[in-house]
Amino acid sequence: MKTYPKQFKKVSDYLKEEFGIDVLLGQITAFMGHKNKKIFIHHNHNLERNGLYSLLHEVGHVLQNDEDNFFKTIDEDKHPYQFKYYQYLNEEDAWEKGLDFAYDLGLQIYEDDYYKIAEESLLTYKEKLEK
């Protein structure tokens, strides 16, 4: 089993202790939901930078409530633009919540790198919006 870097481990341990959520390395990066209690981080990520930042983003999803997930109540087939718009806002919110969480936990974050990764990720949703 791979040993996690200090800050990545601190987030992982917090998730396990507070929410019962396991952080695992895998083929994808995703929060599998509160029922599945797993977050996967792609095994090729540098766990001290983009892997940590991706984990923080997934923590942002853990911390979201029903209001933040409003897009999930919209029928994508009947209202594709509305669905995509709120999905984009949901992703943006998860990045912000993740950064706030990092500071609350006392992590050292390189904001320029964090925002660059967030922007690259958000661009994939923005492209969907424009189609």
Side-chain angles (χ1 to χ4, degrees), residues 16-118:
K16 184 66 175 176
E17 291 167 16
E18 295 298 319
F19 299 101
I21 294 173
D22 291 311
V23 176
L24 307 164
L25 302 183
Q27 298 294 319
I28 60 171
T29 295
F31 170 46
M32 305 308 289
H34 288 282
K35 289 181 183 176
N36 292 319
K37 298 205 176 287
K38 289 182 180 65
I39 291 177
F40 287 100
I41 300 299
H42 197 281
H43 64 92
N44 285 339
H45 283 333
N46 173 340
L47 301 183
E48 292 177 349
R49 288 292 177 99
N50 64 330
L52 173 62
Y53 300 158
S54 294
L55 176 57
L56 291 171
H57 168 72
E58 299 308 330
V59 170
H61 284 301
V62 170
L63 299 174
Q64 288 176 325
N65 58 33
D66 290 341
E67 204 171 287
D68 300 320
N69 289 303
F70 177 72
F71 80 96
K72 292 180 179 179
T73 63
I74 298 170
D75 186 324
E76 184 176 13
D77 294 333
K78 293 181 182 170
H79 306 283
Y81 182 81
Q82 188 178 14
F83 177 87
K84 290 172 185 166
Y85 174 71
Y86 284 108
Q87 184 181 27
Y88 176 86
L89 293 178
N90 173 271
E91 291 299 318
E92 187 176 53
D93 177 70
W95 283 105
E96 289 300 319
K97 278 182 169 51
L99 186 59
D100 290 344
F101 171 83
Y103 288 129
D104 289 346
L105 204 57
L107 302 181
Q108 180 183 356
I109 301 298
Y110 297 95
E111 279 192 19
D112 289 345
D113 292 346
Y114 187 88
Y115 283 119
K116 180 180 180 203
I117 291 168

